[in-house]
Amino acid sequence: MCSPKVLTEVYESIGRERRKVSRRSMFAALGTTALGATVVAGVVQPTASAAPAGHTIVDLTHVLTPDFPVWPGARSFEMRNLAKIADTAGSLGSLGSAGFGGNFYLNELRLEEHTGTHIDAPAHASADGITVEKIPVTDLVVPIAVVDISARASVDPDTLLTRQDILDWESTHGTIAPRSLVAMNSGWDTRAGAGGAFTNRDALGVQHTPGFAPEAIDFLVSERDIVAVGSDTLSIDAGRSTTHGAHRSALGSGKYTVEALANLSALPAVGATVMVGAPTHAGGSGGPCRVIAWY
């Protein structure tokens, strides 16, 4: 359990550089994590003693299994057990003989970086872009703006989130806050467990999934000072794209992306804060991440 003193120190450390994160929101997030919560359908509801009334924490991360959809041609996630508690020796070889077998539960993971809910560092599509461990921590706890195009995507899987969609969103919710993560909610996360529905490939193997129009990314980068964009699909580009213009615009401008997000429909369009738990392996182009939001 975190003491009030520890929580205060954490908040003040982040707050010196990220004034956009409110004191109340940070205490709600850290307090709920430290003191306990109830999970209902992917949404963490704080208990009465965990956070101030009215705050909700939402897990935006899919559970990663070998069946989770991957980009066509990519390696699926694999997990091999190495040792189980109560094993007499385990299967660790020298590690087993050193006492791991029987004492610890341990697995070996094999996966490509861009698997499951994951982050793309600028280096993923920019030769001079930074790698994942170099993304500033202050860029990983930011406001999140959710632009909902799910109604349109339900009838047109090739639809794009456009600059006009952003302007229409702003006419209702106000100008996107500086240094935000802007997320596309196409409703695609509900397809993740439905066989090939998530990649939605046609007879020729072309994917039909929503994405950002490159011009929309250009607008967000040049006129809205964002730090990142996110999508509930495997790519911020439309599945049928062959030029990957959204990636090139965002990552080429030094922004990062988060893809295959879940539960965006559980967030308000504006007013939430997101924390992206990015990996820190040196030289990485990205990697699976735990993404949590609260409001």
Side-chain angles (χ1 to χ4, degrees), residues 21-33 36-38 43-58 266-268 271-273 292-295:
V21 180
S22 73
R23 185 180 183 90
R24 188 177 183 207
S25 295
M26 182 59 71
F27 267 74
L30 295 176
T32 302
T33 303
T38 302
V43 179
V44 182
Q45 300 289 352
T47 63
S49 62
H55 280 70
T56 301
I57 294 183
V58 183
L267 292 182
T273 298
I292 299 169
W294 61 89
Y295 62 94

Side-chain angles (χ1 to χ4, degrees), residues 31-285:
T32 302
T33 303
L35 300 178
T38 302
V39 180
V40 180
V43 179
V44 182
Q45 300 289 352
T47 63
S49 62
H55 280 70
T56 301
I57 294 183
V58 183
D59 193 346
L60 303 182
T61 318
H62 285 284
V63 174
L64 185 55
T65 70
D67 296 325
F68 192 84
V70 296
W71 195 260
R75 175 194 292 274
S76 294
F77 170 69
E78 298 176 32
M79 184 171 78
R80 182 172 70 92
N81 180 248
L82 298 179
K84 296 179 180 178
I85 296 173
D87 279 355
T88 56
S91 56
L92 284 169
S94 60
L95 287 178
S97 64
F100 278 79
N103 296 313
F104 297 98
Y105 174 53
L106 183 65
N107 299 303
E108 176 186 79
L109 308 182
R110 296 190 66 184
L111 73 166
E112 295 186 5
E113 289 174 311
H114 302 268
T115 304
T117 301
H118 65 275
I119 187 171
D120 289 3
H124 183 48
S126 175
D128 58 356
I130 60 172
T131 47
V132 69
E133 82 284 7
K134 295 179 181 178
I135 296 174
V137 172
T138 51
D139 287 355
L140 299 173
V141 184
V142 295
I144 180 170
V146 181
V147 182
D148 190 338
I149 62 167
S150 58
R152 199 163 74 228
S154 68
V155 295
D156 179 10
D158 291 321
T159 193
L160 296 175
L161 191 158
T162 66
R163 179 179 182 274
Q164 188 60 51
D165 287 321
I166 296 165
L167 294 174
D168 290 344
W169 184 97
E170 291 186 326
S171 70
T172 300
H173 304 291
T175 302
I176 291 170
R179 299 186 55 74
S180 288
L181 185 157
V182 178
M184 175 192 73
N185 176 22
S186 69
W188 221 251
D189 60 329
T190 62
R191 295 174 170 239
F198 199 72
T199 53
N200 200 31
R201 302 170 73 185
D202 63 21
L204 299 177
V206 176
Q207 296 182 83
H208 295 278
T209 59
F212 283 83
E215 295 79 11
I217 301 292
D218 292 342
F219 172 74
L220 290 170
V221 168
S222 64
E223 300 191 41
R224 291 298 181 266
D225 189 30
I226 63 165
V227 298
V229 294
S231 72
D232 54 2
T233 55
L234 285 178
S235 172
I236 63 165
D237 278 288
R240 70 186 189 283
S241 174
T242 58
T243 58
H244 313 297
H247 271 86
R248 296 187 185 283
S249 178
L251 301 179
S253 300
K255 315 305 177 182
Y256 68 87
T257 73
V258 186
E259 295 165 323
L261 289 164
N263 298 321
L264 287 170
S265 294
L267 292 182
V270 66
T273 298
V274 67
M275 179 183 293
V276 180
T280 55
H281 54 293
S285 72

